[in-house]
Amino acid sequence: MTRLEKKERFTSGHRACGGCGLALGARLAMKAVDDNSIATCATGCLEVTSSPYPQSSWKIPWLHSLFENSAAVAGGVEAALRAKGKQDINVVAQGGDGGTVDIGMRSLSGMLERGHDVAYICYDNEAYMNTGIQRSGSTPMNASTTTSPAGEESFGNENRKKNALKIAAAHNIPYVASASVAYPDDLIEKVKKANEINGPTYVQIHTPCPTGWGHEGDITVKLARLAVETGLWVLYEREEGEIKDVKKIKDRKPVEEYLKPQKRFKHLFKKEGGEERIQEIQEIADSNAEKFHLDEE
Ligand SMILES: Cc1ncc(C[n+]2csc(CCOP(=O)(O)OP(=O)(O)O)c2C)c(N)n1
Ligand code: SF4
Ligand SMILES: [Mg+2]
């Protein structure tokens, strides 16, 4: 069997938009779990598009939680299995960025801190997509969303993207990793590892959203790759507190290449003052490059 195994546990027939990075991310992540797994899923695009009653895209037992408590529900499932002596079943919790880094942060923190044997997967499409593209704590700076619209006075979201990977790591858990739908082998390896490790683990997958980001569905993977190649989304693992396996970049690309095809950033190329805002974003990429030693000699 190749690493990209044929078996699907998140199947076609779901209602996600064409080119949805989240659906691709879930499909790849579910290749990495085994059949002996139970998944929870917060309210959001993933849940809504994959489970219209009486249909389901899930081939493993799957529970829909509230928007805010996927981690708490998964922790409860894991504790119940432990009490029954069933320790051969993997528990996977899933949530969008809103359901993870904002409203679900409390239940995620509790689950990580209590030490449940749960792998948490955050599908990061950088806004509340399911309810109409509202900004989240994971929305990047200067992106236009329906609650941070660019206009005459505004360049869109004013805040920097929250670093949820660092917050997860602050719980001293054994494994934290970032992944991208543009690097499927890497993504699968990381989710597999997160599942195999005993204790709480956290994987955040960058998943472009054609509808919310305003790009064509056929460039989803290209855009996800550009996020990595510009240094805006860094691929790495943190094991037992140590940063490892950072994906180095050869000839890092300017951030414009990533921003330009997306309508959520189009004001940066039209409005007076846009160049400075693009420079701000470039500085974020440069600072990532410095911190993680991204540039390949
Ligand atoms: C307590 C609560 N507040 C608000 C909602 C409405 N709601 C459902 S999903 C969602 C946004 C989901 O965003 P995210 O977690 O990023 O997932 P996405 O849809 O982007 O994949 C919101 C606001 C809710 N279900 N429950
Ligand atoms: S709105 Fe975005 S995340 Fe939601 S199904 Fe469509 S492409 Fe996927
Ligand atoms: Mg989201």
mmCIF file of all heavy atoms in Angstrom, residues 2-49:
data_model
loop_
_atom_site.group_PDB
_atom_site.id
_atom_site.type_symbol
_atom_site.label_atom_id
_atom_site.label_comp_id
_atom_site.label_asym_id
_atom_site.label_seq_id
_atom_site.Cartn_x
_atom_site.Cartn_y
_atom_site.Cartn_z
ATOM 1 N N THR A 2 0.545 2.205 -0.855
ATOM 2 C CA THR A 2 1.288 3.473 -0.837
ATOM 3 C C THR A 2 0.836 4.283 0.373
ATOM 4 O O THR A 2 -0.183 3.974 0.984
ATOM 5 C CB THR A 2 0.975 4.298 -2.102
ATOM 6 O OG1 THR A 2 -0.418 4.515 -2.126
ATOM 7 C CG2 THR A 2 1.424 3.602 -3.360
ATOM 8 N N ARG A 3 1.587 5.335 0.648
ATOM 9 C CA ARG A 3 1.202 6.161 1.794
ATOM 10 C C ARG A 3 -0.161 6.816 1.550
ATOM 11 O O ARG A 3 -0.968 6.951 2.444
ATOM 12 C CB ARG A 3 2.262 7.225 2.047
ATOM 13 C CG ARG A 3 3.278 6.738 3.057
ATOM 14 C CD ARG A 3 4.144 7.862 3.484
ATOM 15 N NE ARG A 3 4.913 8.352 2.348
ATOM 16 C CZ ARG A 3 5.659 9.439 2.389
ATOM 17 N NH1 ARG A 3 5.732 10.137 3.481
ATOM 18 N NH2 ARG A 3 6.346 9.843 1.336
ATOM 19 N N LEU A 4 -0.415 7.213 0.287
ATOM 20 C CA LEU A 4 -1.730 7.755 -0.021
ATOM 21 C C LEU A 4 -2.682 6.588 -0.240
ATOM 22 O O LEU A 4 -3.027 6.249 -1.355
ATOM 23 C CB LEU A 4 -1.668 8.611 -1.288
ATOM 24 C CG LEU A 4 -1.637 10.118 -1.120
ATOM 25 C CD1 LEU A 4 -1.700 10.811 -2.449
ATOM 26 C CD2 LEU A 4 -2.734 10.633 -0.223
ATOM 27 N N GLU A 5 -3.064 5.945 0.837
ATOM 28 C CA GLU A 5 -3.847 4.723 0.695
ATOM 29 C C GLU A 5 -5.208 5.005 0.044
ATOM 30 O O GLU A 5 -5.739 6.110 0.127
ATOM 31 C CB GLU A 5 -4.021 4.044 2.051
ATOM 32 C CG GLU A 5 -4.850 4.812 3.044
ATOM 33 C CD GLU A 5 -5.218 3.950 4.240
ATOM 34 O OE1 GLU A 5 -6.173 3.170 4.099
ATOM 35 O OE2 GLU A 5 -4.565 4.056 5.284
ATOM 36 N N LYS A 6 -5.726 3.960 -0.608
ATOM 37 C CA LYS A 6 -6.954 4.153 -1.400
ATOM 38 C C LYS A 6 -8.181 4.305 -0.516
ATOM 39 O O LYS A 6 -9.162 4.916 -0.891
ATOM 40 C CB LYS A 6 -7.130 2.956 -2.328
ATOM 41 C CG LYS A 6 -6.100 2.899 -3.436
ATOM 42 C CD LYS A 6 -6.714 2.307 -4.706
ATOM 43 C CE LYS A 6 -5.802 2.451 -5.890
ATOM 44 N NZ LYS A 6 -4.667 1.533 -5.849
ATOM 45 N N LYS A 7 -8.095 3.743 0.668
ATOM 46 C CA LYS A 7 -9.289 3.696 1.512
ATOM 47 C C LYS A 7 -9.793 5.101 1.877
ATOM 48 O O LYS A 7 -9.036 5.953 2.329
ATOM 49 C CB LYS A 7 -8.933 2.921 2.780
ATOM 50 C CG LYS A 7 -10.065 2.824 3.742
ATOM 51 C CD LYS A 7 -10.269 1.436 4.240
ATOM 52 C CE LYS A 7 -11.614 1.360 4.913
ATOM 53 N NZ LYS A 7 -11.876 0.087 5.493
ATOM 54 N N GLU A 8 -11.071 5.324 1.660
ATOM 55 C CA GLU A 8 -11.675 6.618 2.002
ATOM 56 C C GLU A 8 -12.542 6.437 3.247
ATOM 57 O O GLU A 8 -13.379 5.540 3.299
ATOM 58 C CB GLU A 8 -12.572 7.124 0.860
ATOM 59 C CG GLU A 8 -11.920 7.192 -0.516
ATOM 60 C CD GLU A 8 -10.952 8.359 -0.666
ATOM 61 O OE1 GLU A 8 -10.810 9.139 0.285
ATOM 62 O OE2 GLU A 8 -10.336 8.467 -1.745
ATOM 63 N N ARG A 9 -12.363 7.325 4.211
ATOM 64 C CA ARG A 9 -13.260 7.315 5.379
ATOM 65 C C ARG A 9 -14.110 8.591 5.413
ATOM 66 O O ARG A 9 -14.994 8.730 6.224
ATOM 67 C CB ARG A 9 -12.460 7.136 6.683
ATOM 68 C CG ARG A 9 -11.738 5.808 6.728
ATOM 69 C CD ARG A 9 -10.962 5.586 8.005
ATOM 70 N NE ARG A 9 -10.181 4.380 7.878
ATOM 71 C CZ ARG A 9 -8.950 4.306 7.333
ATOM 72 N NH1 ARG A 9 -8.367 5.406 6.891
ATOM 73 N NH2 ARG A 9 -8.321 3.161 7.240
ATOM 74 N N PHE A 10 -13.772 9.521 4.513
ATOM 75 C CA PHE A 10 -14.616 10.700 4.273
ATOM 76 C C PHE A 10 -14.892 10.669 2.766
ATOM 77 O O PHE A 10 -13.999 10.916 1.955
ATOM 78 C CB PHE A 10 -13.862 11.983 4.667
ATOM 79 C CG PHE A 10 -14.646 13.236 4.386
ATOM 80 C CD1 PHE A 10 -15.685 13.629 5.222
ATOM 81 C CD2 PHE A 10 -14.360 14.031 3.290
ATOM 82 C CE1 PHE A 10 -16.415 14.781 4.957
ATOM 83 C CE2 PHE A 10 -15.083 15.189 3.022
ATOM 84 C CZ PHE A 10 -16.116 15.558 3.861
ATOM 85 N N THR A 11 -16.107 10.315 2.397
ATOM 86 C CA THR A 11 -16.357 9.934 1.006
ATOM 87 C C THR A 11 -17.002 11.055 0.182
ATOM 88 O O THR A 11 -17.487 12.049 0.724
ATOM 89 C CB THR A 11 -17.306 8.720 0.956
ATOM 90 O OG1 THR A 11 -18.538 9.115 1.556
ATOM 91 C CG2 THR A 11 -16.723 7.532 1.690
ATOM 92 N N SER A 12 -17.007 10.852 -1.117
ATOM 93 C CA SER A 12 -17.639 11.812 -2.025
ATOM 94 C C SER A 12 -19.153 11.802 -1.799
ATOM 95 O O SER A 12 -19.693 10.914 -1.153
ATOM 96 C CB SER A 12 -17.322 11.431 -3.463
ATOM 97 O OG SER A 12 -17.783 10.128 -3.700
ATOM 98 N N GLY A 13 -19.796 12.803 -2.366
ATOM 99 C CA GLY A 13 -21.243 12.924 -2.176
ATOM 100 C C GLY A 13 -21.577 14.010 -1.167
ATOM 101 O O GLY A 13 -22.734 14.385 -1.015
ATOM 102 N N HIS A 14 -20.559 14.516 -0.499
ATOM 103 C CA HIS A 14 -20.812 15.616 0.447
ATOM 104 C C HIS A 14 -21.176 16.882 -0.343
ATOM 105 O O HIS A 14 -21.005 16.935 -1.562
ATOM 106 C CB HIS A 14 -19.581 15.856 1.335
ATOM 107 C CG HIS A 14 -18.336 16.108 0.559
ATOM 108 N ND1 HIS A 14 -18.125 17.272 -0.127
ATOM 109 C CD2 HIS A 14 -17.253 15.322 0.310
ATOM 110 C CE1 HIS A 14 -16.972 17.216 -0.737
ATOM 111 N NE2 HIS A 14 -16.423 16.029 -0.506
ATOM 112 N N ARG A 15 -21.641 17.905 0.363
ATOM 113 C CA ARG A 15 -22.143 19.108 -0.315
ATOM 114 C C ARG A 15 -21.171 20.277 -0.295
ATOM 115 O O ARG A 15 -21.585 21.437 -0.488
ATOM 116 C CB ARG A 15 -23.447 19.580 0.356
ATOM 117 C CG ARG A 15 -24.699 18.976 -0.215
ATOM 118 C CD ARG A 15 -24.940 17.611 0.327
ATOM 119 N NE ARG A 15 -26.333 17.202 0.140
ATOM 120 C CZ ARG A 15 -26.720 15.955 0.152
ATOM 121 N NH1 ARG A 15 -25.845 14.972 0.311
ATOM 122 N NH2 ARG A 15 -27.999 15.668 0.005
ATOM 123 N N ALA A 16 -19.899 20.032 -0.031
ATOM 124 C CA ALA A 16 -18.947 21.156 0.002
ATOM 125 C C ALA A 16 -18.842 21.788 -1.386
ATOM 126 O O ALA A 16 -19.057 21.127 -2.403
ATOM 127 C CB ALA A 16 -17.575 20.679 0.467
ATOM 128 N N CYS A 17 -18.481 23.078 -1.437
ATOM 129 C CA CYS A 17 -18.318 23.774 -2.715
ATOM 130 C C CYS A 17 -17.210 23.100 -3.531
ATOM 131 O O CYS A 17 -16.298 22.480 -2.962
ATOM 132 C CB CYS A 17 -17.903 25.233 -2.496
ATOM 133 S SG CYS A 17 -18.817 26.119 -1.246
ATOM 134 N N GLY A 18 -17.259 23.283 -4.859
ATOM 135 C CA GLY A 18 -16.194 22.750 -5.707
ATOM 136 C C GLY A 18 -14.851 23.334 -5.297
ATOM 137 O O GLY A 18 -14.754 24.535 -5.071
ATOM 138 N N GLY A 19 -13.853 22.486 -5.156
ATOM 139 C CA GLY A 19 -12.510 22.968 -4.815
ATOM 140 C C GLY A 19 -12.329 23.291 -3.344
ATOM 141 O O GLY A 19 -11.342 23.936 -2.971
ATOM 142 N N CYS A 20 -13.242 22.841 -2.505
ATOM 143 C CA CYS A 20 -13.158 23.147 -1.062
ATOM 144 C C CYS A 20 -11.908 22.514 -0.426
ATOM 145 O O CYS A 20 -11.746 21.297 -0.427
ATOM 146 C CB CYS A 20 -14.411 22.631 -0.365
ATOM 147 S SG CYS A 20 -14.336 22.786 1.426
ATOM 148 N N GLY A 21 -11.055 23.344 0.144
ATOM 149 C CA GLY A 21 -9.834 22.835 0.781
ATOM 150 C C GLY A 21 -10.137 22.049 2.038
ATOM 151 O O GLY A 21 -9.425 21.110 2.399
ATOM 152 N N LEU A 22 -11.212 22.433 2.700
ATOM 153 C CA LEU A 22 -11.601 21.754 3.941
ATOM 154 C C LEU A 22 -11.995 20.298 3.658
ATOM 155 O O LEU A 22 -11.580 19.369 4.381
ATOM 156 C CB LEU A 22 -12.772 22.537 4.547
ATOM 157 C CG LEU A 22 -13.627 21.985 5.651
ATOM 158 C CD1 LEU A 22 -12.800 21.548 6.830
ATOM 159 C CD2 LEU A 22 -14.626 23.037 6.081
ATOM 160 N N ALA A 23 -12.788 20.099 2.599
ATOM 161 C CA ALA A 23 -13.200 18.734 2.251
ATOM 162 C C ALA A 23 -11.975 17.890 1.876
ATOM 163 O O ALA A 23 -11.868 16.716 2.255
ATOM 164 C CB ALA A 23 -14.202 18.764 1.095
ATOM 165 N N LEU A 24 -11.035 18.519 1.153
ATOM 166 C CA LEU A 24 -9.804 17.806 0.794
ATOM 167 C C LEU A 24 -8.996 17.469 2.050
ATOM 168 O O LEU A 24 -8.494 16.347 2.205
ATOM 169 C CB LEU A 24 -8.984 18.670 -0.170
ATOM 170 C CG LEU A 24 -7.614 18.138 -0.584
ATOM 171 C CD1 LEU A 24 -7.735 16.755 -1.226
ATOM 172 C CD2 LEU A 24 -6.929 19.113 -1.546
ATOM 173 N N GLY A 25 -8.918 18.438 2.953
ATOM 174 C CA GLY A 25 -8.178 18.222 4.203
ATOM 175 C C GLY A 25 -8.777 17.070 5.001
ATOM 176 O O GLY A 25 -8.060 16.206 5.529
ATOM 177 N N ALA A 26 -10.110 17.045 5.094
ATOM 178 C CA ALA A 26 -10.777 15.982 5.852
ATOM 179 C C ALA A 26 -10.563 14.625 5.181
ATOM 180 O O ALA A 26 -10.329 13.611 5.837
ATOM 181 C CB ALA A 26 -12.267 16.289 5.976
ATOM 182 N N ARG A 27 -10.618 14.635 3.859
ATOM 183 C CA ARG A 27 -10.426 13.380 3.124
ATOM 184 C C ARG A 27 -9.028 12.806 3.417
ATOM 185 O O ARG A 27 -8.873 11.617 3.683
ATOM 186 C CB ARG A 27 -10.600 13.647 1.632
ATOM 187 C CG ARG A 27 -10.449 12.413 0.795
ATOM 188 C CD ARG A 27 -10.595 12.752 -0.666
ATOM 189 N NE ARG A 27 -10.334 11.567 -1.466
ATOM 190 C CZ ARG A 27 -10.126 11.583 -2.767
ATOM 191 N NH1 ARG A 27 -10.169 12.712 -3.433
ATOM 192 N NH2 ARG A 27 -9.877 10.474 -3.416
ATOM 193 N N LEU A 28 -8.026 13.685 3.366
ATOM 194 C CA LEU A 28 -6.649 13.237 3.608
ATOM 195 C C LEU A 28 -6.467 12.824 5.068
ATOM 196 O O LEU A 28 -5.858 11.784 5.360
ATOM 197 C CB LEU A 28 -5.656 14.346 3.243
ATOM 198 C CG LEU A 28 -5.599 14.714 1.758
ATOM 199 C CD1 LEU A 28 -4.796 15.992 1.556
ATOM 200 C CD2 LEU A 28 -4.999 13.572 0.933
ATOM 201 N N ALA A 29 -7.012 13.610 5.977
ATOM 202 C CA ALA A 29 -6.849 13.288 7.406
ATOM 203 C C ALA A 29 -7.487 11.941 7.727
ATOM 204 O O ALA A 29 -6.940 11.156 8.511
ATOM 205 C CB ALA A 29 -7.465 14.389 8.261
ATOM 206 N N MET A 30 -8.629 11.664 7.081
ATOM 207 C CA MET A 30 -9.317 10.408 7.366
ATOM 208 C C MET A 30 -8.604 9.203 6.751
ATOM 209 O O MET A 30 -8.859 8.061 7.126
ATOM 210 C CB MET A 30 -10.777 10.468 6.898
ATOM 211 C CG MET A 30 -11.633 11.378 7.750
ATOM 212 S SD MET A 30 -11.625 10.955 9.515
ATOM 213 C CE MET A 30 -10.745 12.351 10.226
ATOM 214 N N LYS A 31 -7.690 9.440 5.816
ATOM 215 C CA LYS A 31 -6.854 8.342 5.315
ATOM 216 C C LYS A 31 -5.823 7.951 6.377
ATOM 217 O O LYS A 31 -5.270 6.871 6.345
ATOM 218 C CB LYS A 31 -6.129 8.754 4.024
ATOM 219 C CG LYS A 31 -7.044 8.770 2.801
ATOM 220 C CD LYS A 31 -6.284 9.275 1.597
ATOM 221 C CE LYS A 31 -7.164 9.305 0.357
ATOM 222 N NZ LYS A 31 -7.498 7.973 -0.177
ATOM 223 N N ALA A 32 -5.558 8.894 7.277
ATOM 224 C CA ALA A 32 -4.499 8.667 8.274
ATOM 225 C C ALA A 32 -5.013 8.010 9.551
ATOM 226 O O ALA A 32 -4.221 7.537 10.352
ATOM 227 C CB ALA A 32 -3.841 9.999 8.621
ATOM 228 N N VAL A 33 -6.324 8.021 9.758
ATOM 229 C CA VAL A 33 -6.838 7.358 10.965
ATOM 230 C C VAL A 33 -7.153 5.913 10.581
ATOM 231 O O VAL A 33 -7.287 5.594 9.407
ATOM 232 C CB VAL A 33 -8.112 8.042 11.517
ATOM 233 C CG1 VAL A 33 -7.859 9.519 11.768
ATOM 234 C CG2 VAL A 33 -9.305 7.852 10.606
ATOM 235 N N ASP A 34 -7.242 4.997 11.571
ATOM 236 C CA ASP A 34 -7.626 3.646 11.169
ATOM 237 C C ASP A 34 -9.132 3.452 11.372
ATOM 238 O O ASP A 34 -9.824 4.351 11.854
ATOM 239 C CB ASP A 34 -6.757 2.582 11.839
ATOM 240 C CG ASP A 34 -6.891 2.588 13.336
ATOM 241 O OD1 ASP A 34 -7.991 2.892 13.820
ATOM 242 O OD2 ASP A 34 -5.893 2.301 14.014
ATOM 243 N N ASP A 35 -9.611 2.267 10.972
ATOM 244 C CA ASP A 35 -11.061 2.051 11.029
ATOM 245 C C ASP A 35 -11.574 2.001 12.468
ATOM 246 O O ASP A 35 -12.756 2.186 12.720
ATOM 247 C CB ASP A 35 -11.421 0.750 10.304
ATOM 248 C CG ASP A 35 -11.182 0.905 8.812
ATOM 249 O OD1 ASP A 35 -11.375 2.024 8.300
ATOM 250 O OD2 ASP A 35 -10.776 -0.085 8.170
ATOM 251 N N ASN A 36 -10.653 1.733 13.369
ATOM 252 C CA ASN A 36 -11.032 1.632 14.774
ATOM 253 C C ASN A 36 -10.974 3.014 15.434
ATOM 254 O O ASN A 36 -10.301 3.197 16.444
ATOM 255 C CB ASN A 36 -10.039 0.683 15.463
ATOM 256 C CG ASN A 36 -10.749 -0.198 16.465
ATOM 257 O OD1 ASN A 36 -11.977 -0.221 16.529
ATOM 258 N ND2 ASN A 36 -9.975 -0.912 17.264
ATOM 259 N N SER A 37 -11.652 3.976 14.832
ATOM 260 C CA SER A 37 -11.594 5.352 15.345
ATOM 261 C C SER A 37 -13.002 5.904 15.507
ATOM 262 O O SER A 37 -13.932 5.485 14.813
ATOM 263 C CB SER A 37 -10.839 6.265 14.367
ATOM 264 O OG SER A 37 -9.547 5.794 14.128
ATOM 265 N N ILE A 38 -13.118 6.855 16.402
ATOM 266 C CA ILE A 38 -14.370 7.603 16.569
ATOM 267 C C ILE A 38 -14.019 9.078 16.395
ATOM 268 O O ILE A 38 -13.032 9.555 16.961
ATOM 269 C CB ILE A 38 -14.972 7.383 17.976
ATOM 270 C CG1 ILE A 38 -15.320 5.906 18.184
ATOM 271 C CG2 ILE A 38 -16.195 8.275 18.199
ATOM 272 C CD1 ILE A 38 -15.859 5.572 19.578
ATOM 273 N N ALA A 39 -14.812 9.789 15.579
ATOM 274 C CA ALA A 39 -14.516 11.208 15.344
ATOM 275 C C ALA A 39 -15.634 12.094 15.872
ATOM 276 O O ALA A 39 -16.814 11.755 15.762
ATOM 277 C CB ALA A 39 -14.341 11.455 13.848
ATOM 278 N N THR A 40 -15.240 13.221 16.440
ATOM 279 C CA THR A 40 -16.227 14.257 16.746
ATOM 280 C C THR A 40 -16.027 15.395 15.744
ATOM 281 O O THR A 40 -14.969 15.516 15.141
ATOM 282 C CB THR A 40 -16.068 14.814 18.181
ATOM 283 O OG1 THR A 40 -14.810 15.489 18.291
ATOM 284 C CG2 THR A 40 -16.139 13.698 19.208
ATOM 285 N N CYS A 41 -17.051 16.212 15.579
ATOM 286 C CA CYS A 41 -16.965 17.284 14.579
ATOM 287 C C CYS A 41 -17.815 18.470 15.033
ATOM 288 O O CYS A 41 -19.023 18.333 15.242
ATOM 289 C CB CYS A 41 -17.467 16.742 13.236
ATOM 290 S SG CYS A 41 -17.309 17.883 11.867
ATOM 291 N N ALA A 42 -17.166 19.598 15.190
ATOM 292 C CA ALA A 42 -17.880 20.817 15.609
ATOM 293 C C ALA A 42 -18.805 21.301 14.494
ATOM 294 O O ALA A 42 -18.578 21.024 13.318
ATOM 295 C CB ALA A 42 -16.861 21.912 15.939
ATOM 296 N N THR A 43 -19.801 22.057 14.847
ATOM 297 C CA THR A 43 -20.649 22.723 13.851
ATOM 298 C C THR A 43 -19.773 23.618 12.966
ATOM 299 O O THR A 43 -18.862 24.270 13.449
ATOM 300 C CB THR A 43 -21.703 23.602 14.554
ATOM 301 O OG1 THR A 43 -22.429 22.788 15.459
ATOM 302 C CG2 THR A 43 -22.643 24.237 13.565
ATOM 303 N N GLY A 44 -20.062 23.592 11.696
ATOM 304 C CA GLY A 44 -19.267 24.374 10.742
ATOM 305 C C GLY A 44 -19.450 23.754 9.378
ATOM 306 O O GLY A 44 -20.234 22.807 9.203
ATOM 307 N N CYS A 45 -18.715 24.253 8.383
ATOM 308 C CA CYS A 45 -18.862 23.750 7.018
ATOM 309 C C CYS A 45 -18.681 22.234 6.941
ATOM 310 O O CYS A 45 -19.423 21.559 6.224
ATOM 311 C CB CYS A 45 -17.858 24.421 6.090
ATOM 312 S SG CYS A 45 -18.483 25.947 5.352
ATOM 313 N N LEU A 46 -17.711 21.703 7.657
ATOM 314 C CA LEU A 46 -17.442 20.265 7.542
ATOM 315 C C LEU A 46 -18.658 19.443 7.961
ATOM 316 O O LEU A 46 -19.057 18.501 7.276
ATOM 317 C CB LEU A 46 -16.216 19.891 8.394
ATOM 318 C CG LEU A 46 -15.755 18.442 8.267
ATOM 319 C CD1 LEU A 46 -15.405 18.083 6.835
ATOM 320 C CD2 LEU A 46 -14.559 18.165 9.185
ATOM 321 N N GLU A 47 -19.230 19.822 9.068
ATOM 322 C CA GLU A 47 -20.401 19.098 9.590
ATOM 323 C C GLU A 47 -21.621 19.286 8.683
ATOM 324 O O GLU A 47 -22.279 18.332 8.277
ATOM 325 C CB GLU A 47 -20.678 19.581 11.023
ATOM 326 C CG GLU A 47 -22.040 19.222 11.590
ATOM 327 C CD GLU A 47 -23.050 20.348 11.433
ATOM 328 O OE1 GLU A 47 -22.687 21.532 11.518
ATOM 329 O OE2 GLU A 47 -24.225 20.029 11.199
ATOM 330 N N VAL A 48 -21.877 20.552 8.309
ATOM 331 C CA VAL A 48 -23.089 20.870 7.547
ATOM 332 C C VAL A 48 -23.064 20.183 6.175
ATOM 333 O O VAL A 48 -24.082 19.669 5.709
ATOM 334 C CB VAL A 48 -23.212 22.407 7.395
ATOM 335 C CG1 VAL A 48 -24.233 22.775 6.337
ATOM 336 C CG2 VAL A 48 -23.579 23.035 8.717
ATOM 337 N N THR A 49 -21.899 20.178 5.536
ATOM 338 C CA THR A 49 -21.842 19.643 4.175
ATOM 339 C C THR A 49 -21.743 18.119 4.136
ATOM 340 O O THR A 49 -21.953 17.522 3.086
ATOM 341 C CB THR A 49 -20.633 20.217 3.402
ATOM 342 O OG1 THR A 49 -19.437 19.896 4.117
ATOM 343 C CG2 THR A 49 -20.729 21.719 3.244
#
